[in-house]
Amino acid sequence: MRWSYKIARVAGIDVYVHATFLLILLFYGAMYYSSGGWGAAVYGVIFILFLFFCVLLHEFGHALAARRYGIRTPDITLLPIGGLARLERMPSSPIQELVIAIAGPAVNVAIAALLFLLPGQGASMDDLQEFTNPGQSLISQLITVNLFLVAFNMIPAFPMDGGRVLRALLAIKLPHARATLIAARTGQVIAILFAVAGFFGNFMLIFIAMFVFMGAEQELAYARMKESAGGPLVGDAMTTSFEVLSDTLRMGQVKDFLMQHGQQVFPVVNAFHQCQGLISRSELQAALSELPEASPASCLARSVPILDWRLPLPRALQVMEQSREPILPVVDSSGKLAGLVTKHAILSVAGA
């Protein structure tokens, strides 16, 4: 994800922080400063850092549950609106989706319980109100915010965990597409209720309503495509965790680019995030001593077949075998680069 910076690698998972994360630190720092000066501002920033550490643990809950089923999580990114764990592929059964979805909120329940049981922490059930109130203790605020994360994430609407839990439970008895339809429509009804409530004062609910409604519609559209294709699609097998090489990058910048990224194959994209081809790491390294520094690195890109994410896996496998390419780019319905897919990933998902 652009504007994201790697801060750690834990259990084989890269942890990134988006640059806009600084905005929420500034916002809460200013809010606490207005109520109590610099001391309160520092306290507010510390609280937000602890809050997002809990969000990070929530995402690791998803990631480690997915690992149990052989699904890798290349990275987790912290954003102002929360965290994003990128799974290498989607779960192949309702039970797997249920376990992975519920693992995140379960982590927050465990954190809240442990904090509540800390000796001498001084929190009571009456204290667990208004987690942004500077008058509360840090422990009380963290208990409250973890309970809030559980409640918010378990709303039965995509893209929250509750929407995936609802679909997984329905899919145990119903076809996947039918379960997705019911879960998506349930989420959209909730989104409409949020929007109506937002017009009576809390405009943040309108933002959440838009986020939920569009997330549900996107999930529903993909489920319909999958059903019409009669099986898994390329989008089920692609990875969304990769670095791209801009067509504006010059050979003089390639050495630093390769030092920052250990990837073996890079998709080349233009300003509209459309794929122009692929370049391997070895091709870039070999060209360092051959091409002038002002030359665009994109001149090395080789043309390869580009797969639509709605393409059925058997057809994608045919294209990959004909091209003899180990990895191919995948584009979404707008033609923008959406992911990369390998033959191994196609065979894994097709055989799941």
Side-chain angles (χ1 to χ4, degrees):
M1 184 178 290
R2 291 184 178 183
W3 295 97
S4 295
Y5 299 91
K6 182 177 175 180
I7 59 170
R9 183 175 176 83
V10 181
I13 301 171
D14 293 330
V15 178
Y16 290 86
V17 171
H18 198 268
T20 53
F21 179 77
L22 293 174
L23 296 176
I24 199 168
L25 292 179
L26 291 173
F27 174 79
Y28 275 94
M31 185 181 74
Y32 276 76
Y33 175 80
S34 65
S35 65
W38 285 110
V42 171
Y43 178 89
V45 170
I46 291 173
F47 165 66
I48 293 301
L49 291 175
F50 272 112
L51 161 60
F52 274 86
F53 181 67
C54 294
V55 171
L56 180 61
L57 293 179
H58 172 110
E59 298 302 328
F60 267 103
H62 291 309
L64 296 180
R67 181 176 293 184
R68 175 184 175 186
Y69 300 111
I71 303 172
R72 289 182 60 251
T73 304
D75 61 66
I76 293 172
T77 302
L78 292 177
L79 302 156
I81 58 172
L84 174 64
R86 297 197 189 190
L87 303 187
E88 195 172 47
R89 62 179 175 84
M90 295 306 294
S92 58
S93 74
I95 296 300
Q96 290 183 10
E97 181 172 36
L98 178 62
V99 172
I100 294 170
I102 210 167
V107 169
N108 295 117
V109 171
I111 293 172
L114 288 172
L115 291 175
F116 193 79
L117 294 174
L118 279 177
Q121 51 83 18
S124 68
M125 291 304 295
D126 292 335
D127 295 328
L128 305 186
Q129 305 168 5
E130 297 288 337
F131 70 84
T132 58
N133 182 356
Q136 284 192 326
S137 71
L138 179 62
I139 296 298
S140 295
Q141 288 182 304
L142 290 175
I143 293 172
T144 306
V145 80
N146 274 280
L147 294 177
F148 171 80
L149 287 173
V150 174
F152 181 75
N153 277 284
M154 289 307 292
I155 294 173
F158 292 114
M160 269 86 80
D161 299 329
R164 304 195 181 281
V165 168
L166 177 59
R167 177 173 64 183
L169 292 172
L170 292 170
I172 293 174
K173 295 292 185 180
L174 300 175
H176 186 270
R178 179 64 179 167
T180 301
L181 173 62
I182 296 173
R185 292 297 183 232
T186 301
Q188 289 179 329
V189 169
I190 292 173
I192 292 170
L193 294 176
F194 278 2
V196 171
F199 280 109
F200 290 94
N202 190 344
F203 290 103
M204 179 60 70
L205 288 176
I206 298 176
F207 173 78
I208 294 173
M210 294 173 58
F211 177 69
V212 169
F213 196 94
M214 290 187 294
E217 194 63 36
Q218 187 176 38
E219 196 75 33
L220 184 56
Y222 191 79
R224 283 172 173 164
M225 287 188 297
K226 188 173 179 179
E227 183 182 34
S228 64
L233 308 176
V234 170
D236 295 310
M238 72 180 184
T239 178
T240 57
S241 175
F242 57 89
E243 296 295 333
V244 299
L245 189 149
S246 170
D247 62 358
T248 62
L249 189 77
R250 303 294 172 178
M251 289 304 300
Q253 302 168 295
V254 165
K255 188 174 181 180
D256 289 338
F257 179 83
L258 292 178
M259 288 179 65
Q260 293 173 16
H261 310 297
Q263 205 165 291
Q264 296 303 309
V265 178
F266 297 93
V268 179
V269 298
N270 60 20
F272 302 100
H273 210 64
Q274 297 166 325
C275 186
Q276 308 296 297
L278 297 178
I279 302 177
S280 71
R281 188 181 192 87
S282 58
E283 288 169 334
L284 287 169
Q285 290 173 328
L288 282 172
S289 58
E290 298 176 1
L291 295 178
E293 289 190 351
S295 298
S298 58
C299 69
L300 299 170
R302 64 184 185 279
S303 179
V304 297
I306 295 178
L307 304 176
D308 189 293
W309 66 347
R310 298 167 294 189
L311 193 68
L313 286 186
R315 176 58 185 147
L317 186 59
Q318 289 179 351
V319 173
M320 181 160 280
E321 289 177 338
Q322 290 169 2
S323 68
R324 297 185 179 180
E325 291 285 346
I327 189 168
L328 289 178
V330 181
V331 295
D332 60 20
S333 53
S334 67
K336 294 181 180 180
L337 183 66
L340 297 174
V341 69
T342 64
K343 183 177 180 180
H344 174 74
I346 290 176
L347 292 173
S348 296
V349 174

